[in-house]
Amino acid sequence: MLLIDRFFSILFDTVFDVLPILGILLGFQLFVLKQKIPNFKKVATGFAFVLVGLAFFLQGLEQTLFPIGRLMAEQLTHPEFIFGKEMIGEFEFSWQDYYWVYIFAFAIGFSTTIAEPSLLAVAIKAQEVSGGAIGTWGLRIAVALGVAIGISLGTFRIVTGYPIHWFIIAGYIVVVFQTFYAPRMIVPLAYDSGGVTTSTVTVPLVAALGLGLAETVPGRSALIDGFGLIAFASLFPIMSVMAYAQIAEYRSLKQQRLMAENRPDSD
Amino acid sequence: MNSPIIALFHSMVSSLRDLLPIIVVIAFFQLFVLQQPLPNMIDLLVGTFFVVLGLTFFIYGLEMGLFPIGESMAYAFAKKGSVLWLLLFAFALGFGTTIAEPALIAVSNEASKVAAAAGAIGNSPQAMSSYADGLRLTVAFSVGFAIVLGVFRIIKGWPIHWFIIGGYILVDVMTGFAPEEIIGIAYDSGGVTTSTITVPLVTALGVGLASSIKGRNPMIDGFGLIAFASLTPMIFVMAYGMVI
């Protein structure tokens, strides 16, 4: 019974969040464009599916992934797990002690990004628009790798306490360089994939990991060092998606060259 | 006819495949690294089933409702030819979807605590809630502005990277002047603004616009709205931190 109550309260919240969007869409459609909505029944059914789907999705996450993910973040960052049992009070530590945290950050960043619904939406559109040149899986794996690298680097930053803007500014410089060398077609999509990675699934888990780390690592403050993981998770996919396109282009060029070289022999 | 049911079943299988990595990661760390049993197996199974079902319904509804409405409105605006209304629509969409975003509400409340602890504002609940509201409005306004700018760029066909690079330079310069405690929040606020419903709508709008305007390539010009929406909040939030 509790389950059903909870489901309806989440559904209600979701509907409430969507109301402003629905109002804007309807208002402009009816009063500015002065048009009926084409395929009204189909669109309405689609909206209903989206809402019910999101509610199920969120309830499922709340029941499984979030509590267990938070618990794991807590346990993995706990000094007892990292230094063994007897360490209390003042002590020296090196950033290598936290290796399980980096591995966990990488793995959870990758796997939650694969399941991120907004990324899937963009990947579907990209495949459609590019006529299949950019596959949904290629894009999703490239983005997921970027998020994984970003988050594990972000946890490294929290452990070491280096200022966040060094990393972000260095990242920007790499992005700018890549922009001029990457295939032109991929650039806007790469920029977009930075923003879509961090929504429903990734943010709560990553935030828990960051806050847990900042609270337990000696000398860090949760307020100043706990933030910033999401920024890492939105910067690195830009690089990895452009790198993915660069590698794909390089390989197809190489193949063309090989074929051009081989042709005289085979004739 | 049972073909829709088969289609739904197929998409459930692919949703399950999407979630498999998370299950593997959690199980591995829980059992082998932390060496602890999984709590509440039944709850976990039911929850996982819900996530699979939810993802399936979401994707199904996306292609049926959200994508078509976003694109058909883009076409209708392009046919109507009124840039002013289109930009107004873009602003409303960006502002309206962001102001109600739960993640943003959470982050701005968190930020007001940080600001109060750093002494930038008073420690009273009123001061903190007015700071949080101000931050929310700032971010929502910046996303509205971003979508307007992005739509304008699609109409004009300007290359996106000049905007992004310009934005980066602005972020870098402002980082030097903004109060330290706002920087982490500002950088994060770029990521939290784009929700699961906004992204498909905005993507469909951009791609639809780019394919209905002559001389625009949907691949080169259609994407990029979300990039703008995640860049401008950083700039505006740092500005907010500098002004307050």
Side-chain angles (χ1 to χ4, degrees), chain A residues 110 114 119 123 127 132-145 186 189 240-241 244-245:
Chain A
F110 184 88
I114 292 286
L119 175 61
Q127 185 174 35
I134 295 161
T136 46
W137 275 103
L139 183 70
R140 286 166 78 189
I141 288 175
V143 173
L145 271 179
I186 200 78
L189 186 63
S240 63
V241 169
Y244 159 70

Side-chain angles (χ1 to χ4, degrees), chain A residues 18 21 24 28-29 32 46 53 64-65 72 75 120 125 134 140 169 172 179 185 188 192 195 198 200 228 230-231, chain B residues 18 22 29-30 34 36 44 54 59 61 71 73 80 89 92 97 172 188 191 194 196-197 201 219-220 224 226-227:
Chain A
V18 173
I21 306 176
I24 292 164
F28 274 88
Q29 185 81 355
V32 179
T64 53
L65 189 62
M72 288 173 76
Q75 287 170 338
L120 189 50
K125 253 298 106 27
I134 295 161
R140 286 166 78 189
I169 290 170
Y172 283 171
T179 300
M185 191 179 88
D192 263 5
T198 46
T200 338
I230 296 166
Chain B
D18 292 345
I22 302 187
F29 272 85
Q30 191 75 0
L34 294 165
Q36 282 179 1
L44 283 185
I59 299 298
E71 268 175 34
M73 287 187 81
K80 191 176 161 70
F89 174 69
T97 54
D172 290 351
D188 269 3
T194 42
T196 318
I197 292 176
L201 264 179
M219 199 64 214
I220 291 175
I226 295 161

Side-chain angles (χ1 to χ4, degrees), chain B residues 14-15 71 84 129 196:
Chain B
S14 69
S15 300
E71 268 175 34
L84 185 71
S129 90
T196 318

Side-chain angles (χ1 to χ4, degrees), chain A residues 3 7 14 16-18 20-21 24-25 28-29 32-33 35 37-38 42-43 45-47 49-54 56-57 59-61 63-65 68-69 71-72 75-76 81 100 103-104 107-108 110-112 114-118 120-122 124-126 128-130 134 137 140 164-165 168-169 172 175-176 179-180 184-189 191-192 194-196 198-201 203 223-224 226-231 234-235 238, chain B residues 17-19 21-22 25-26 28-30 33-34 36 38-39 43-48 50-51 53-55 57-69 71-73 76-77 79-80 85 88-89 92-93 96-97 100 102 107 110-111 113-114 117 153 160-162 164-165 168 171-172 175 180-181 183-185 187-188 191-192 194-201 203-204 207 218-221 223-228 230-231 234:
Chain A
L3 205 75
F7 175 75
T14 319
F16 198 75
D17 290 341
V18 173
I21 306 176
I24 292 164
L25 289 181
F28 274 88
Q29 185 81 355
V32 179
L33 295 170
Q35 275 183 347
I37 293 163
K42 215 177 136 204
V43 169
T45 324
F47 253 92
F49 265 109
V50 164
L51 290 178
V52 173
L54 262 186
F56 267 122
F57 190 72
Q59 159 135 35
L61 287 180
Q63 204 173 326
T64 53
L65 189 62
I68 209 172
L71 193 69
M72 288 173 76
Q75 287 170 338
L76 278 170
F81 171 77
W100 273 121
I103 298 173
F104 180 70
I108 206 78
F110 184 88
S111 56
T112 52
I114 292 286
E116 196 66 77
S118 12
L120 189 50
V122 170
I124 291 172
K125 253 298 106 27
E128 192 186 301
V129 170
S130 69
I134 295 161
W137 275 103
R140 286 166 78 189
I164 182 171
H165 48 269
I168 301 290
I169 290 170
Y172 283 171
V175 168
V176 170
T179 300
F180 290 105
R184 218 180 126 224
M185 191 179 88
I186 200 78
V187 171
L189 186 63
Y191 288 158
D192 263 5
V196 298
T198 46
S199 52
T200 338
V201 197
V203 170
L223 289 180
I224 291 186
F227 289 97
L229 275 185
I230 296 166
S234 21
L235 180 61
I238 304 181
Chain B
R17 202 183 45 203
D18 292 345
L19 291 165
I22 302 187
V25 168
I26 298 261
F28 173 77
F29 272 85
Q30 191 75 0
V33 181
L34 294 165
Q36 282 179 1
L38 291 166
D43 260 18
L44 283 185
L45 284 178
V46 174
T48 310
F50 274 12
V51 174
L53 200 67
L55 197 58
F57 279 3
F58 177 79
I59 299 298
Y60 188 72
L62 194 72
E63 307 213 40
M64 205 165 154
L66 245 55
F67 278 160
I69 187 88
E71 268 175 34
S72 82
M73 287 187 81
F77 272 115
K79 219 171 80 192
K80 191 176 161 70
W85 276 116
L88 213 62
F89 174 69
L93 199 63
T97 54
V107 166
E110 208 57 46
K113 281 182 212 151
V114 176
R153 179 196 77 87
I160 186 172
H161 53 269
W162 296 120
I164 300 290
I165 293 171
Y168 282 173
V171 169
D172 290 351
T175 304
E180 199 190 340
E181 68 278 359
I183 291 175
I185 298 161
Y187 284 178
D188 269 3
V192 297
T194 42
S195 79
T196 318
I197 292 176
T198 321
V199 167
L201 264 179
T203 307
V207 169
M219 199 64 214
I220 291 175
D221 301 301
F223 290 96
L225 286 179
I226 295 161
F228 279 56
S230 25
L231 185 61
M234 294 197 230

Side-chain angles (χ1 to χ4, degrees), chain A residues 149-216:
Chain A
I149 295 169
I151 294 180
S152 45
L153 203 64
T155 51
F156 167 76
R157 181 199 75 85
I158 295 178
V159 170
T160 54
Y162 294 133
I164 182 171
H165 48 269
W166 292 0
F167 291 87
I168 301 290
I169 290 170
Y172 283 171
I173 293 171
V174 174
V175 168
V176 170
F177 266 102
Q178 271 184 304
T179 300
F180 290 105
Y181 294 104
R184 218 180 126 224
M185 191 179 88
I186 200 78
V187 171
L189 186 63
Y191 288 158
D192 263 5
S193 47
V196 298
T197 50
T198 46
S199 52
T200 338
V201 197
T202 321
V203 170
L205 278 187
V206 165
L209 189 65
L211 286 175
L213 255 184
E215 269 165 20
T216 52

